[in-house]
Amino acid sequence: LNHDCSVAALLLRFDQTERLIRLLWRPLCVAALNTPIERASAQVFLAVLRDSFGAGRADSDMLIPRTNLSALLPQSALAFVTGHGGTVRLGTAVKDIISAGAQWLLHTAADTQATCDKARFEAVIVATAPSAAAKLLRGLTAIDRIAALDHEPITTCYLQYAPEIRMAQPFFALEDDPVKTNFGQFVFDRGQLDACQCGLLAVVISTSTNAIKLGHQALAAAVAQQLATALQLPALHTPFWSQVISEKRATFSCQPGLLRPTNQTTTARLILAGDYTAGEYPATIEGAVRSGLAAARLIDN
C-alpha cells in the first residue's frame, strides 16, 4: 500500500462480505496483530498473509507446543548461549545503563560501585518490553517512538473440569460476540498436550479491553457459558475452578502509519531488540526473532 490504512478500510475497498469479515478476516487480524480491524494496519496484515497463506505449504501450518514456552524457547536459548561460552545471569535486573566513554556499564541492584565498574561492555542490546526500555534509555538516547507506543491486552481464562472432559480436537476457534458476552476466540485442550493437565481448557481472548471490564469471576462464568453452548457440552457450564490472567500491555497496538523505533538508537553501540521495533511483522515471536537477528548484525558490523 502506498499509504497505510486500516484493515477495515482495506476489506471495504475489496468488497468483502460481512460474513467473510466476521468468520475469516477479523479473527485472523485479531489473532495476528492483537489489534481490532478498525485500527489495525493493513500493511502489516498483508505482510502476515503474504508470508503465511501466500508462501509455501508449511508456512501456514498450525503448530501447538506440547511443552511450556519456557522450556521451548528461553531455556533452549540459555543452553545455546552457555554452550558457546557465553554467560547468563538470571534474576539480575539492570537498574541503570551508564556511558563510560567508548564502553558501557550495567548497574544492577546487587552491584556495589566496585563490581559495577568491572562490568564493562563494548555494546549493549536492550531486549526488554518497551516500557522497561524507555526507563533504561531515558537520558541516554531518543525514546520518543518507544514512549509513543500504545498497547493492547491479551487475556487467558483457564477452566478446570473433570479429567474425562476432552474436546474432539486439541483446539478450536470460537466465534466471539461481545454483545452476547461471548469473548473467547480460541480454546485449547491442555490435556491433549500434557497428560498432567487433563480436563483443563484454556480460552484466549485477544484485544480483551472490554472483556476484562467484566471482572475475573464474571468473565470466567461468561466463557464457561460460551464453551458449553459452542461445543454442545452442558458439563462445561460448571468448571471445578477457574483462573483469569490478563496482560494489559501484551503487545503494541499495530496501527496504520505507526513509526516504530529502529534497532539502532541515536547513540552508537546502544541497540534495541524486541517485537516492537521497526519491521514488517506485528508483535509476534517471528517479529522478535527478526529483530534479535538485526540487532546481532549491528554488533558484528
Side-chain angles (χ1 to χ4, degrees), residues 30-109:
V30 169
L33 277 63
N34 192 37
T35 307
I37 62 172
E38 293 77 16
R39 61 172 186 270
S41 165
Q43 198 165 55
V44 174
F45 187 52
L46 288 173
V48 172
L49 295 179
R50 178 198 65 206
D51 292 347
S52 53
F53 299 115
R57 164 65 182 82
D59 292 307
S60 58
D61 282 349
M62 178 66 75
L63 303 179
I64 306 175
R66 289 185 173 275
T67 185
N68 65 68
L69 292 181
S70 294
L72 186 67
L73 298 171
Q75 290 175 16
S76 297
L78 186 151
F80 180 88
V81 170
T82 55
H84 287 75
T87 300
V88 177
R89 293 174 60 185
L90 300 176
T92 309
V94 175
K95 290 182 61 180
D96 296 297
I97 301 173
I98 303 165
S99 177
Q103 294 183 314
W104 297 96
L105 302 177
L106 300 184
H107 186 202
T108 72

Side-chain angles (χ1 to χ4, degrees), residues 41-232:
S41 165
Q43 198 165 55
V44 174
F45 187 52
L46 288 173
V48 172
L49 295 179
R50 178 198 65 206
D51 292 347
S52 53
F53 299 115
R57 164 65 182 82
D59 292 307
S60 58
D61 282 349
M62 178 66 75
L63 303 179
I64 306 175
R66 289 185 173 275
T67 185
N68 65 68
L69 292 181
S70 294
L72 186 67
L73 298 171
Q75 290 175 16
S76 297
L78 186 151
F80 180 88
V81 170
T82 55
H84 287 75
T87 300
V88 177
R89 293 174 60 185
L90 300 176
T92 309
V94 175
K95 290 182 61 180
D96 296 297
I97 301 173
I98 303 165
S99 177
Q103 294 183 314
W104 297 96
L105 302 177
L106 300 184
H107 186 202
T108 72
D111 284 335
T112 63
Q113 187 61 47
T115 57
C116 179
D117 287 342
K118 292 179 182 178
R120 291 176 175 267
F121 301 92
E122 294 180 0
V124 172
I125 297 176
V126 180
T128 69
S131 57
K135 291 178 182 178
L136 287 170
L137 298 175
R138 187 170 287 112
L140 295 173
T141 192
I143 61 169
D144 298 1
R145 291 189 179 182
I146 305 176
L149 294 173
D150 292 325
H151 294 83
E152 303 281 353
I154 296 177
T155 296
T156 304
C157 181
Y158 295 93
L159 303 166
Q160 180 65 62
Y161 297 96
E164 60 268 20
I165 292 293
R166 183 181 176 89
M167 299 196 315
Q169 297 180 170
F171 86 101
F172 283 103
L174 299 170
E175 186 177 354
D176 62 334
D177 186 348
V179 174
K180 298 179 179 178
T181 66
N182 291 337
F183 291 105
Q185 295 153 353
F186 290 91
V187 55
F188 295 85
D189 186 343
R190 297 294 307 169
Q192 295 192 46
L193 306 175
D194 180 353
C196 296
Q197 300 185 47
C198 287
L200 181 63
L201 303 185
V203 178
V204 178
I205 308 170
S206 297
T207 61
S208 58
T209 299
N210 291 328
I212 58 182
K213 290 178 181 178
L214 286 181
H216 286 188
Q217 186 174 355
L219 179 57
V223 167
Q225 170 70 39
Q226 181 185 5
L227 287 180
T229 302
L231 301 179
Q232 298 183 357

Side-chain angles (χ1 to χ4, degrees), residues 287-298:
V289 169
R290 287 189 172 201
S291 179
L293 292 172
R297 285 192 289 268
L298 288 172

Side-chain angles (χ1 to χ4, degrees), residues 18-31:
E18 183 277 334
R19 179 177 172 80
L20 266 177
I21 293 172
R22 175 168 51 87
L23 297 180
L24 178 63
W25 297 125
R26 187 167 66 85
L28 276 175
C29 177
V30 169

